[in-house]
Amino acid sequence: MDIRRVAAAAALITSLLGTSAAPAFADETVDSQGPVVSVLWPLATVPNVIGKGFQSITADATDPSGVDRYTWFVDGAQRSQEQYLHYDFGARQRTTTIEVWAWDLAGNHSVTTFPVTVDAEAPKATAFSPASSTLLRGQLRTATVALKDRSVVGGALLVSGPNVTDTVAPFTGRFPLGAEGPQTLRWYVTDVWGNAGYVTQTVTSDNRTPTLKFASAPANGAKVKDSVVIKAAATDRYGIAKVQLLVNGRVLAADSTAPYSFTLNTRKYGKQKFKIQLRAYDKAGNATTTAARTWHR
């Protein structure tokens, strides 16, 4: 905007007024710039992103002379002469260029250009809990999925469980464990534009206890002395986590590497009888315990 100050002739003023007053000035404002345009997005928190199909974007222009009209261009083609653009952005993920031309009442115009991403894809999973391939035991378990989206995630429904959609992160669902073996969990995920799809994770159901026995140890009722070596044989379909040695019901030692072996100093128990047991845990947390063997010195 130009401010032109036109001064009256000092001599003429002096002549007319008969004084030596200072020259008077008249201010003339000339509008030479186009409107200032801002864009109102459907999702204020996610500018420059729009959903697929028909969507609307609004221009908000300000100008000292007043705003006269608008023209919208999408990828160089004129699409609207309203304050808003209502346009079919299609069904594929892409980036397009939009221009807003705005004129004021003085005939000046401005051009605002910006890229717009058309979000046509469903959210993607970034993490699962429990992690894929985790061994699980029990009957009913909880699963959680972390999602990301170019816009805003709408919700997630664990198809394997109750028909309840979680709309607040972290997205959680309950599911029953199936028969022994791998189990696929399917999540139906959506974003605020209605883009939807499935993400999956695989867990393994394991409710079977490991097999366990004394591989080498004195028999039940045996008389022992000094140090005794106790060996265990433990197996499980998905692996053994650890084997424990129990004396009188209390854990005395543990071994997590096969072959499982313990050395027990029997002198610590004097002349009284004491009970020996083995307990094995598999990698899912299932446990089995042998029958007790009673020894004496």
Side-chain angles (χ1 to χ4, degrees):
M1 181 179 296
D2 297 328
I3 304 297
R4 300 177 182 175
R5 311 187 68 184
V6 181
L12 179 58
I13 294 174
T14 302
S15 173
L16 293 174
L17 299 178
T19 68
S20 58
F25 293 90
D27 288 345
E28 180 185 358
T29 300
V30 178
D31 184 357
S32 62
Q33 295 184 355
V36 177
V37 177
S38 59
V39 177
L40 304 180
W41 298 95
L43 290 178
T45 57
V46 190
N48 296 84
V49 178
I50 204 75
K52 63 185 179 182
F54 281 97
Q55 302 292 340
S56 295
I57 307 173
T58 302
D60 184 20
T62 58
D63 190 89
S65 300
V67 179
D68 182 28
R69 66 187 189 277
Y70 300 85
T71 300
W72 294 78
F73 295 86
V74 179
D75 290 332
Q78 181 177 317
R79 297 300 182 185
S80 175
Q81 290 185 300
E82 304 291 339
Q83 185 178 358
Y84 61 88
L85 169 68
H86 186 64
Y87 179 69
D88 184 0
F89 287 91
R92 64 184 179 86
Q93 187 88 8
R94 65 191 180 96
T95 298
T96 186
T97 300
I98 292 181
E99 294 179 2
V100 184
W101 291 49
W103 281 264
D104 64 16
L105 294 173
N108 304 302
H109 81 278
S110 63
V111 180
T112 304
T113 304
F114 48 90
V116 173
T117 297
V118 180
D119 184 1
E121 296 179 348
K124 293 179 173 58
T126 58
F128 294 103
S129 178
S132 289
S133 302
T134 297
L135 290 168
L136 299 176
R137 66 188 182 95
Q139 301 301 318
L140 190 64
R141 298 298 299 257
T142 298
T144 301
V145 61
L147 300 171
K148 68 175 182 178
D149 190 78
R150 190 177 297 274
S151 299
V152 178
V153 176
L157 167 67
L158 182 56
V159 180
S160 311
N163 189 26
V164 178
T165 299
D166 193 350
T167 58
V168 180
F171 305 101
T172 302
R174 299 273 285 171
F175 67 98
L177 275 179
E180 299 290 308
Q183 181 175 347
T184 299
L185 306 181
R186 299 178 73 225
W187 294 86
Y188 180 73
V189 297
T190 61
D191 66 13
V192 293
W193 302 116
N195 300 309
Y198 290 92
V199 295
T200 61
Q201 67 185 112
T202 300
V203 297
T204 300
S205 175
D206 180 13
N207 282 308
R208 188 175 300 168
T209 59
T211 59
L212 175 66
K213 66 179 182 179
F214 286 96
S216 175
N220 184 40
K223 182 178 181 180
V224 295
K225 64 178 182 178
D226 301 329
S227 293
V228 175
V229 175
I230 304 163
K231 295 182 179 181
T235 59
D236 186 84
R237 178 181 180 183
Y238 298 108
I240 296 294
K242 62 183 176 181
V243 176
Q244 297 174 329
L245 173 66
L246 288 76
V247 179
N248 293 330
R250 300 183 63 179
V251 177
L252 183 68
D255 191 351
S256 58
T257 304
Y260 309 102
S261 179
F262 307 94
T263 299
L264 177 65
N265 180 5
T266 64
R267 290 188 293 270
K268 295 172 56 177
Y269 302 97
K271 296 296 183 179
Q272 62 185 356
K273 294 180 180 180
F274 53 96
K275 294 182 178 181
I276 304 297
Q277 289 174 286
L278 296 173
R279 179 180 295 152
Y281 288 88
D282 66 16
K283 293 185 177 181
N286 299 300
T288 188
T289 305
T290 63
R293 292 188 179 187
T294 301
W295 298 343
H296 64 92
R297 296 184 70 246

